[in-house]
């Protein structure tokens, strides 16, 4: 820091503290009060730790400031007070955590009626959270004496700061034995059951959302800590309750009891998805799930699946009759009936359930005709890539489920006939909902090919898209995902775990359909895959790709671009990254005074010039040749090369200055400009040689290859007398070797 050299610097805070009667507000007005506190200014810390100062600091973060103050300065002092109390200084922590009167004053903040001021709630949560981490024993002991602590926190759960406070209690307590005591205490207070109760459809949406997020975070934190703290053999009581069949059943009951709102469905489904997670979310985890199929990093607790299974039919009804939503305006027009978050979350849940490879769950989904309905939505909402991805994962999971190829659940024989479902948006034959006549004992793979008619849907959608594009229409937004689905079918047909069953199902297709499929795979799909193989590193213009590529979609998040760009992003930056572009930094560090340094590597540059007279390169070359190139000044003069002549260094100075500026630009990353400029000069010189062959008036005399400076020639491209001598801007050397003007 620049101020570390100011050895005589005296803090103005020290001067204030030396003054009698200084107040806390005066100190807080100083800009460097927080820095001095963190720097362990002894005078300041002793002052702040006084009883009246600590009481005032706690008051500032727990009592709302007067409403008549300016809004921009109203919370200035509460904010500074919070930063001072959480500055992680031992003296302040000891004073705040060891004084029960201060803790009581802090706790009184929770006893207010909701809603709390969100800013003050964040100050309170941050202060208590810091004490939980630094003065764990004292604070936990104090809070456990308060029998209504959990009730008060949940009463204010609409403030996100209260959610943070609960998570700090779970994650910031050390050592492990004390943490287990805290978890048992929270379990005795029935924290999980109370949060689950807040997920009821009749609750406030903000409370539902924060309760859902808290449950999701508890699940992830508990699982992460269980993996990290191997010395603790006792199971996490909160996680055990969350994964219990009773609690999951209660959650589902709260979701579907009464009026089914989108908020309750989305928030409840998020908790279920977190319980079904095999790993933390993200692109890497998603791709791993897609590629691994049934393989998961751990086995999902069967109690979760057994609780969800009876309610799959309720989620099915949500796909058929979602919560009402008004029309929305999108980039492709007005959408009268949006898909909605509820149906999207149901699709995500179905994909997660299929990935568990649970036989009973998968066959229940098959029995309810869920996949047929999801495929209907896939083709109806052609621009919803979030939905497309979930349907793609569903198809991939079913095709990878070798467990279903030979096993069937005898209990399914007692189920009633498959219910009439489906929107009929892509049904080619029969009345919508009337084609549910397949054997209820069919495996999901059979259901996908026979009842859902996956191959026919792929062929029909592809042909329809080709027709739309042939008429000048826009490529559909789901074509990238449809391509991946088709590739998944082909891959599993060739070498998948259920390839023999898939092969038999393909053979059972009508002859004309089977022929169309074989032609599609051998020609159309193969060509599409070739065009979709895009190396973004060597591609100069993404939008110049072929019209069959997904990059022509008006939505930039179509999957072909997503996957290609994600592959490009995750490339590692290696040490020879710059070398790959043909230049090294060392080349620009030792030749600043050498005007020819940039041309040292001319021999290393490869030129590929098409010699075809009708090519574009030939036309460009001829155009360069036809341009008039300014001739050298000494072409008509034949002088003794050994005669000494006056040398003018003006050109050299200008050239060197110009070269230095050029090299600075190159150092800043514009290295490729050199190649462009060199090519231009190369063609210019080549054109001059081809047009004139030698200097005018000097048969057989070849012009030397030199640089040029436009300032020397007066900055004009007009024709000049080649025999005219220049007194400025030309470097005179022994005769017949006068350097040409710089351009």
């Amino acid at each position: 820091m620049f101020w570390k050299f100011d050895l005589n610097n005296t803090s103005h805070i020290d001067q204030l503290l030396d003054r009698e009667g200084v107040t806390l507000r005066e100190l807080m007005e100083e800009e460097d009060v927080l820095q001095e506190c963190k720097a362990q200014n002894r005078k300041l810390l002793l002052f702040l730790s006084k009883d009246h100062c600590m009481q005032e600091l706690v008051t500032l973060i727990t009592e709302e400031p007067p409403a008549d103050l300016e809004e921009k300065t109203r919370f200035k002092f509460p904010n500074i007070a919070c930063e001072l109390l959480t500055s992680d200084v031992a003296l302040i922590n000891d004073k705040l955590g060891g004084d029960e009167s201060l803790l009581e004053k802090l706790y009184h903040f929770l006893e207010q009626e909701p809603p709390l001021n969100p800013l003050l709630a964040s100050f309170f949560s941050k202060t208590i959270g810091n004490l939980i981490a630094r003065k764990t024993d004292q604070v936990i002991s104090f809070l456990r004496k308060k029998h209504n602590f959990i009730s008060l926190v949940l009463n204010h759960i609409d403030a996100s700061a209260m959610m943070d406070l609960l998570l700090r209690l779970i994650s910031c307590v050390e050592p492990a034995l004390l943490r287990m005591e805290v978890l048992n205490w929270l379990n005795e207070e029935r924290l999980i059951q109370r949060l689950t109760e807040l997920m009821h459809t009749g609750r406030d949406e903000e409370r539902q959302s924060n309760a859902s997020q808290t449950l999701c975070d508890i699940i992830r934190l508990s699982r992460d800590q269980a993996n990290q703290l191997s010395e603790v053999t006792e199971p996490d009581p909160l996680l055990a309750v969350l994964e219990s069949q009773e609690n999951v059943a209660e959650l589902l009951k709260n979701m579907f009891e009464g009026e089914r709102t989108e908020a309750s469905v989305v928030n409840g489904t998020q908790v279920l998805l977190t319980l079904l997670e095999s790993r933390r979310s993200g692109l890497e985890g998603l791709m791993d799930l897609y590629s691994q199929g049934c393989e998961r990093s751990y086995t999902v607790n069967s109690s979760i699946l057994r609780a969800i299974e009876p309610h799959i039919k309720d989620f099915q009804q949500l796909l058929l009759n979602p919560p009402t939503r008004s029309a929305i305006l999108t980039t492709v027009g007005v959408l009268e009936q949006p898909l909605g978050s509820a149906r999207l979350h149901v699709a995500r849940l179905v994909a997660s359930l299929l990935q568990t490879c649970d036989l009973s769950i998968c066959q229940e989904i098959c029995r309810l005709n869920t996949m047929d309905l999801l495929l209907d939505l896939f083709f109806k909402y052609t621009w919803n890539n979030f939905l497309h991805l979930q349907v793609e994962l569903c198809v991939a999971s079913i095709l990878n489920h070798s467990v279903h190829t030979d096993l069937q659940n005898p209990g399914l024989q007692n189920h009633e006939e498959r219910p009439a479902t489906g929107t009929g948006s892509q049904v080619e034959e029969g009345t919508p909902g009337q084609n549910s006549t397949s054997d209820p004992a069919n495996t999901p793979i059979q259901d996908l090919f026979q009842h859902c008619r996956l191959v026919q849907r792929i062929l029909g959608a592809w042909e329809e898209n080709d027709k739309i594009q042939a008429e000048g229409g826009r490529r559909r937004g789901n074509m990238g995902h449809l391509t991946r689905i088709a590739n998944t079918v082909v891959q599993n047909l060739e070498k998948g775990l259920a390839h023999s069953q898939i092969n038999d199902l393909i053979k059972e297709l009508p002859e004309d359909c089977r022929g169309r499929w074989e032609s599609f795979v051998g020609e159309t799909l193969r060509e599409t895959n070739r065009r979709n193989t895009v190396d973004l590193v060597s591609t100069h213009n993404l939008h110049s790709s072929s019209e069959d590529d997904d990059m022509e979609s008006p939505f930039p998040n179509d999957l072909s671009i997503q996957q290609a760009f994600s592959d490009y992003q995750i490339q590692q930056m290696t040490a020879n990254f710059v070398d790959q572009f043909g230049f090294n930094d060392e080349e620009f560090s030792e030749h600043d005074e050498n005007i020819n340094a940039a041309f040292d590597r001319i021999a290393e540059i490869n030129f590929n010039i098409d010699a075809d007279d009708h090519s574009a390169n030939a036309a460009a070359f001829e155009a360069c040749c036809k341009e008039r190139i300014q001739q050298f000044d000494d072409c008509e003069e034949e002088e003794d090369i050994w005669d000494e002549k006056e040398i003018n260094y003006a050109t050299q100075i200008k050239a060197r200055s110009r070269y230095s500026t050029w090299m600075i630009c190159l150092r800043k990353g514009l290295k490729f400009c050199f190649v462009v400029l060199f090519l231009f000069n190369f063609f210019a010189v080549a054109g001059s040689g081809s047009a004139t062959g030698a200097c005018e008036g000097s048969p057989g005399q070849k012009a030397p290859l030199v640089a040029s400076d436009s300032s020397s020639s007066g900055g004009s491209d007009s024709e000049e007398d080649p025999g005219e001598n220049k007194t400025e801007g030309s470097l005179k050397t022994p005769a017949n070797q006068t350097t040409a003007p710089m351009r």
Side-chain angles (χ1 to χ4, degrees):
M1 298 295 181
F2 66 87
W3 58 78
K4 69 179 180 180
F5 301 105
D6 188 4
L7 302 179
N8 297 320
N9 182 34
T10 301
S11 172
H12 184 56
I13 289 181
D14 288 338
Q15 298 176 6
L16 285 176
L17 291 170
D18 290 337
R19 195 183 72 191
E20 186 177 357
V22 64
T23 64
L24 177 63
R25 294 294 181 103
E26 288 179 301
L27 288 172
M28 294 174 71
E29 289 283 3
E30 295 296 319
E31 293 182 355
D32 58 345
V33 62
L34 183 58
Q35 289 85 342
E36 288 293 320
C37 180
K38 292 183 177 181
Q40 306 284 330
N41 185 318
R42 188 65 181 173
K43 280 185 180 180
L44 178 60
L45 294 181
L46 289 174
F47 181 84
L48 292 176
S49 61
K50 291 181 179 179
D51 290 342
H52 72 278
C53 289
M54 293 297 295
Q55 289 286 343
E56 187 173 355
L57 289 172
V58 173
T59 300
L60 284 170
I61 67 170
T62 55
E63 295 184 8
E64 197 155 346
D68 57 349
L69 295 178
E70 286 187 53
E71 193 62 32
K72 63 179 181 180
T73 60
R74 189 177 175 214
F75 289 95
K76 173 184 175 181
F77 289 117
N79 181 52
I80 296 174
C82 176
E83 294 299 323
L84 290 172
L85 290 172
T86 60
S87 57
D88 204 14
V89 175
L91 188 59
I92 294 179
N93 289 338
D94 293 342
K95 182 66 176 179
L96 186 57
D99 191 334
E100 192 158 334
S101 64
L102 293 174
L103 292 176
E104 288 286 354
K105 192 174 186 65
L106 271 173
Y107 186 80
H108 180 67
F109 178 76
L110 290 175
E111 297 176 340
Q112 302 179 53
E113 290 296 324
L116 298 175
N117 182 289
L119 196 53
L120 291 180
S122 67
F123 295 155
F124 166 82
S125 176
K126 185 177 181 180
T127 304
I128 291 290
N130 179 70
L131 290 176
I132 290 173
R134 300 304 179 192
K135 308 297 293 183
T136 308
D137 290 331
Q138 295 92 323
V139 175
I140 295 299
S141 176
F142 172 81
L143 293 177
R144 294 187 67 173
K145 295 177 184 177
K146 302 294 184 180
H147 300 294
N148 61 343
F149 171 67
I150 298 298
S151 299
L152 291 176
V153 171
L154 295 180
N155 191 39
H156 299 295
I157 198 65
D158 55 319
S160 59
M162 297 300 105
M163 175 179 66
D164 298 335
L165 177 58
L166 288 174
L167 297 178
R168 283 183 176 272
L169 279 172
I170 295 172
S171 61
C172 296
V173 176
E174 295 181 357
L177 291 178
L178 181 58
R179 175 180 175 272
M180 189 56 64
E181 291 182 11
V182 172
L183 294 179
N184 287 325
W185 164 52
L186 295 176
N187 189 43
E188 292 169 2
E189 294 289 331
R190 304 184 75 253
L191 174 62
I192 301 302
Q193 292 88 337
R194 293 184 181 186
L195 287 170
T196 303
E197 177 60 28
L198 291 174
M199 304 293 296
H200 196 278
T201 56
R203 299 285 185 175
D204 177 73
E205 289 188 8
E206 194 68 27
R207 290 174 178 273
Q208 287 186 40
S209 177
N210 286 348
S212 171
Q213 187 61 51
T214 304
L215 290 172
C216 293
D217 290 339
I218 291 175
I219 295 169
R220 295 189 177 109
L221 283 172
S222 299
R223 287 176 176 172
D224 289 345
Q225 291 184 341
N227 293 331
Q228 297 169 5
L229 304 177
S230 56
E231 68 276 8
V232 179
T233 57
E234 186 178 352
D236 189 317
L238 299 183
L239 183 59
V241 173
L242 274 165
E243 294 182 336
S244 66
Q245 184 171 347
E246 295 78 11
N247 190 75
V248 177
E250 184 66 22
L251 172 64
L252 289 161
K253 176 185 175 184
N254 293 335
M255 289 173 56
F256 294 110
E257 192 173 67
E259 183 182 359
R260 300 178 183 181
T261 63
E262 186 168 81
S264 63
V265 172
V266 170
N267 292 322
T269 306
Q270 285 177 342
V271 178
L272 297 176
L273 289 170
T274 308
L275 287 169
L276 295 172
E277 276 182 359
S278 64
R279 65 192 327 168
R280 296 300 296 271
S281 59
L283 179 61
E284 181 182 355
L286 179 62
M287 291 299 106
D288 285 347
L289 280 179
Y290 182 84
S291 61
Q292 292 173 3
C294 296
E295 298 178 7
R296 303 171 72 89
S297 58
Y298 74 94
T299 304
V300 176
N301 194 323
S302 61
S303 61
I304 300 172
L305 300 176
R306 302 288 73 79
I308 294 177
E309 185 176 354
H311 291 274
I312 294 179
K313 62 180 183 298
D314 295 319
F315 290 105
Q316 174 90 348
Q317 286 302 312
L318 285 172
L319 292 176
L320 291 169
N321 301 302
T324 305
R325 294 194 55 160
S326 57
I328 60 174
L329 178 63
T330 69
T331 55
V332 291
V334 177
L335 194 58
E336 295 294 341
Q337 186 182 6
L339 177 73
S341 296
R343 287 197 284 188
L344 177 61
H345 276 74
V346 172
R348 292 179 59 194
L349 180 64
V350 173
S352 294
L353 290 172
L354 288 171
Q355 288 165 3
T356 63
C357 300
D358 184 84
L359 179 61
S360 180
I361 289 286
C362 293
Q363 289 190 321
E364 177 68 4
I365 291 174
C366 173
R367 186 187 72 82
L368 291 171
N369 200 23
T370 306
M371 273 307 303
D372 191 43
L373 183 53
L374 286 176
L375 285 170
D376 283 343
L377 296 175
F378 179 92
F379 291 107
K380 178 179 180 180
Y381 295 95
T382 57
W383 300 109
N384 195 316
N385 289 157
F386 299 106
L387 171 67
H388 303 159
L389 176 60
Q390 300 308 319
V391 175
E392 179 190 341
L393 290 175
C394 290
V395 173
S397 296
I398 292 176
L399 295 178
N400 289 327
H401 282 182
S402 61
V403 69
H404 299 309
T405 57
D406 299 316
L407 298 178
Q408 294 185 9
N409 189 345
L412 283 177
Q413 302 291 345
N414 298 324
H415 283 296
E416 71 269 17
E417 188 177 352
R418 184 190 301 265
T421 58
T423 60
S425 60
Q426 290 292 326
V427 177
E428 298 179 5
E429 299 176 3
T431 306
Q434 300 300 320
N435 54 352
S436 304
T437 59
S438 61
D439 186 354
N442 277 352
T443 64
I445 291 182
Q446 289 175 302
D447 182 75
L448 190 62
F449 282 92
Q450 293 178 345
H451 178 71
C452 298
R453 306 173 72 248
L454 178 63
V455 171
Q456 291 91 326
R457 285 176 185 259
I458 293 174
L459 294 174
W462 205 284
E463 292 166 358
E464 186 175 350
N465 179 75
D466 288 345
K467 180 181 178 181
I468 292 174
Q469 286 193 283
E471 296 173 353
R474 178 180 294 169
R475 178 184 172 89
R476 286 184 169 181
N478 59 359
M479 294 304 295
H481 291 276
L482 192 64
T483 302
R484 289 171 63 95
I485 291 175
N487 283 325
T488 302
V489 174
V490 173
Q491 291 165 8
N492 283 273
L493 177 62
E494 294 174 351
K495 56 182 179 180
L497 296 174
H499 67 93
S500 59
Q501 185 183 20
I502 297 175
N503 187 54
D504 291 340
L505 292 170
I506 293 292
K507 290 180 179 179
E508 293 176 3
L509 294 174
E511 185 176 351
D512 61 331
C513 180
R514 188 168 64 252
R516 289 164 56 205
W517 171 255
E518 292 173 354
S519 175
F520 168 77
V521 172
E523 299 174 5
T524 307
L525 185 60
R526 184 188 298 273
E527 177 64 15
T528 300
N529 290 334
R530 185 190 66 80
R531 294 183 178 182
N532 284 345
T533 306
V534 180
D535 184 2
L536 293 184
V537 177
S538 60
T539 301
H540 300 289
N541 189 353
L542 288 176
H543 299 288
S544 65
S545 59
S546 65
E547 64 180 8
D548 282 337
D549 197 288
D550 267 341
M551 284 182 257
E552 283 221 347
S553 168
F555 289 81
N557 61 341
D558 208 359
L559 191 60
S560 64
I561 299 180
Q562 292 176 13
Q563 183 61 38
F565 186 63
S566 63
D567 292 342
Y568 170 67
Q569 282 183 310
I570 62 178
Q571 294 182 97
Q572 294 185 352
M573 184 74 74
T574 58
N576 63 342
F577 179 78
V578 178
D579 297 343
Q580 297 171 359
F581 289 87
F583 295 94
N584 293 318
D585 289 338
E586 290 80 359
E587 299 177 17
F588 303 98
S589 59
E590 299 177 355
H591 308 293
D592 289 347
E593 302 301 324
N594 184 3
I595 196 169
N596 293 320
F599 298 92
D600 289 343
R601 298 186 56 198
I602 290 177
E604 300 179 19
I605 300 178
N606 295 323
F607 296 95
N608 183 18
I609 301 178
D610 192 349
D612 186 2
D613 293 339
H614 302 288
S615 68
N617 289 339
F621 182 76
E622 290 298 329
C624 290
C625 292
K626 292 178 181 179
E627 292 185 1
R628 294 191 61 86
I629 307 298
Q630 182 174 336
Q631 306 301 320
F632 299 111
D633 298 339
D634 61 341
C635 289
E636 292 185 352
E637 298 180 4
E638 295 185 4
E639 302 181 50
D640 188 356
I641 62 174
W642 304 109
D643 286 348
E644 294 185 0
K645 300 187 183 297
E646 181 181 359
I647 298 177
N648 190 325
Y649 292 96
T651 302
Q652 277 189 325
I653 296 172
K654 291 182 179 181
R656 180 169 297 175
S657 174
R658 198 177 192 86
Y659 172 74
S660 299
T661 303
W662 186 34
M663 297 305 292
I664 291 172
C665 293
L666 291 176
R667 290 192 191 99
K668 292 183 178 180
L670 303 179
K671 300 176 183 178
F672 65 92
C673 293
F674 164 70
V675 178
V676 177
L677 292 174
F678 175 77
L679 288 174
F680 178 81
N681 287 332
F682 172 79
F683 284 116
V685 173
S688 175
S690 64
T692 61
C695 289
E696 221 177 289
S698 301
Q701 182 180 359
K702 295 183 179 180
L705 179 62
V706 293
S708 60
D709 188 349
S710 59
S711 62
S712 305
S713 60
S716 173
D717 292 329
S718 61
E719 181 181 359
E720 297 183 15
D721 184 2
E724 183 180 354
N725 291 327
K726 303 293 180 182
T727 59
E728 176 85 13
S730 61
L731 178 61
K732 293 188 178 181
T733 57
N736 299 330
Q737 293 190 21
T738 303
T739 305
M742 294 290 185
R743 178 169 306 175

